[in-house]
Every structure is written in C-alpha cells, then in structure tokens.
Amino acid sequence: MQTFVFLFPQLNFSAPKEEAYFKMLGPDDLRVTGDNENKSRLKAKEKKSRLSLLMTRSGSHENVSPEKKPAAKTTNIPPEEALRWSDSFEELLSHSGGLETFTQFLRTEFSEENIEFWLACEDYKGTSSETKLISKAKQIYAVYIDSDGPKEVNIDYSTKAAIQKNILRPSRSCFDAAQSKVYSLMKKDCYPRFLASDMFLRISNRKAPGTMFRRRSRSCVFSERGEAAGDSSVWL
C-alpha cells in the first residue's frame, strides 16, 4: 500500500491547529471569521496591553511592579533577621528582604496586586511635581482602581466612587482611603498566613507550629514550647 504525502509549504505542522487553520484562510476569510467572534476580546486585550506598556515606559512606576525587579536572594537572609519580620507587619515591610519575600508569597496566592498598589501609593504621595502627580494618579487609577484594570484591587464601592470623582483633579490624599483598606487586608489576612507559610518557616529556620511530641510521662503531653497538657490516660 502506497502512502501519499501532500506538502503544503504555507503550513507549519509543528504549530497549533488554530495557527495552521488561519494560514490556510485567505485575508478576506480571516477578516470575516475573526471580526465576528473576537472583536470584543481583542479590544479588551489591546486595552490591557496599552496599560502594561504605559507602566513599563513610566520611570515613575519602578516601585509599582516588584515582579520586574531581580528576585531577592532569600537564601542569603540571616534567620535572625527573618525572625524580626514576625514582630509586626510594619517591621516586615521596613526590610527590603522582608518586602520582597512577602511579595513572592503574595504571588503564590495570586494577590500581588495588593502590595504593588500599596507601593504605588507610597511613591505617589512622595511626588513633588504637580504634572507627574496627575500622570501617576491616572496610571494608578487605570491599573488598580478601574473595573477593567489589569490589577484591580478589592475595595468597596464607596471608596472607588470617591476616587472616580476626584481623579480629574487628584490630590496627594486621593488614594489614602483605598491604600488604608488594602494595607489592613494584608495585615489581618495575608500577613498571618505568611508567617505560617513554608516560605517564611524555611528562611527563619522555624518549625511548623502545632507539632506535638510525647515525653516519658504518665500524666501529660508536652508541646514543642514545653507546655504541658494534662492527660492521666497517657502511658508511654
């Protein structure tokens, strides 16, 4: 039985099926097929691409996207320094290594937009030029506040409405309420999980909390901290 192989130079069979299909279509066919199905999707994609490009080109937004910075070498952080991060959330953010490690942790939870928004607000409040202030305000709004923003933060409707009202003539306190709410969310929700995460425990050389072990006693079980829990039924 003979096998016939038909060669189509315009096709790349290593490419995905969709790509090969579109190459078979003529310009007119492609235009008819794509316009009807992907028009709204392309518009949304183009908008997000413009926002990302705007962030990349803006030198004033170096602190907005920590993921674009080289990752900190967390393995070189002394355990005693990492332990200080557990003193308070403020202590964690005051250390560059702590801030970078916490940002990496938030990425694992897909919530890094919170720390990036907080950093952007800190940078915004320190801007002296009125022209740059307006430009940064529009960027922060487009990226973090707008409902179509690529990194929209979770804030309540009234806070968002207040920002929308003042964004045309922004002041340095324009984002204070939103920044405070995001900060509180990270402190009360994300920070405790960070302290219990494998990432922090590994850097600080801590063991996971709640580990129990038994000592040779007929009356109690001791935790790692040496705290005794009475149990007259325990015999070793």
Side-chain angles (χ1 to χ4, degrees):
M1 180 177 179
Q2 293 181 337
T3 302
F4 296 93
V5 178
F6 296 92
L7 300 179
F8 296 89
Q10 72 273 27
L11 296 181
N12 178 4
F13 288 95
S14 64
K17 292 182 179 179
E18 293 82 357
E19 182 178 335
Y21 171 72
F22 286 132
K23 286 186 177 181
M24 291 178 64
L25 295 176
D28 295 336
D29 296 328
L30 180 60
R31 184 163 48 252
V32 172
T33 302
D35 286 350
N36 292 334
E37 297 180 355
N38 300 321
K39 189 173 182 179
S40 59
R41 186 183 302 173
L42 289 174
K43 285 185 178 179
K45 185 176 181 181
E46 288 173 0
K47 183 175 181 179
K48 289 190 176 184
S49 297
R50 288 196 299 269
L51 290 174
S52 299
L53 181 60
L54 181 62
M55 290 172 60
T56 303
R57 288 181 175 178
S58 174
S60 62
H61 256 64
E62 292 177 354
N63 291 329
V64 172
S65 303
E67 74 272 13
K68 295 186 181 300
K69 296 181 180 181
K73 296 181 179 180
T74 54
T75 54
N76 294 333
I77 297 175
E80 57 272 15
E81 178 181 333
L83 282 173
R84 290 199 294 271
W85 303 344
S86 62
D87 292 344
S88 68
F89 187 52
E90 293 75 17
E91 185 74 17
L92 171 68
L93 297 186
S94 68
H95 289 81
S96 59
L99 177 61
E100 178 60 34
T101 305
F102 184 61
T103 301
Q104 292 179 20
F105 169 75
L106 292 182
R107 288 193 194 112
T108 67
E109 296 198 331
F110 304 99
S111 60
E112 68 271 19
E113 71 276 359
N114 292 319
I115 191 65
E116 292 178 13
F117 171 69
W118 184 81
L119 289 170
C121 291
E122 290 294 290
D123 174 68
Y124 173 78
K125 291 186 292 187
T127 304
S128 56
S129 170
E130 291 296 327
T131 302
K132 289 184 178 180
L133 196 73
I134 295 174
S135 175
K136 289 183 179 182
K138 291 180 179 179
Q139 291 177 30
I140 292 174
Y141 178 84
V143 175
Y144 299 107
I145 306 299
D146 187 67
S147 298
D148 294 326
K151 296 186 177 184
E152 181 189 8
V153 294
N154 185 17
I155 56 176
D156 58 276
Y157 175 79
S158 59
T159 302
K160 178 177 289 191
I163 296 174
Q164 290 174 336
K165 182 179 179 181
N166 299 321
I167 193 64
L168 294 178
R169 303 182 70 178
S171 64
R172 281 181 175 78
S173 60
C174 181
F175 300 103
D176 282 1
Q179 184 188 19
S180 178
K181 292 179 184 296
V182 170
Y183 183 88
S184 179
L185 174 66
M186 291 191 295
K187 182 175 182 178
K188 294 179 180 179
D189 186 49
C190 305
Y191 178 57
R193 290 201 304 274
F194 168 73
L195 295 180
S197 68
D198 292 338
M199 183 181 295
F200 173 72
L201 295 175
R202 182 178 65 254
I203 297 173
S204 61
N205 285 341
R206 274 188 170 183
K207 294 182 180 179
T211 303
M212 303 290 290
F213 66 93
R214 296 174 183 266
R215 290 182 178 177
R216 293 188 177 276
S217 169
R218 295 187 300 177
S219 60
C220 60
V221 178
F222 287 84
S223 68
E224 261 187 287
R225 298 180 178 179
E227 298 172 343
D231 185 357
S232 59
S233 65
V234 176
W235 292 79
L236 298 179

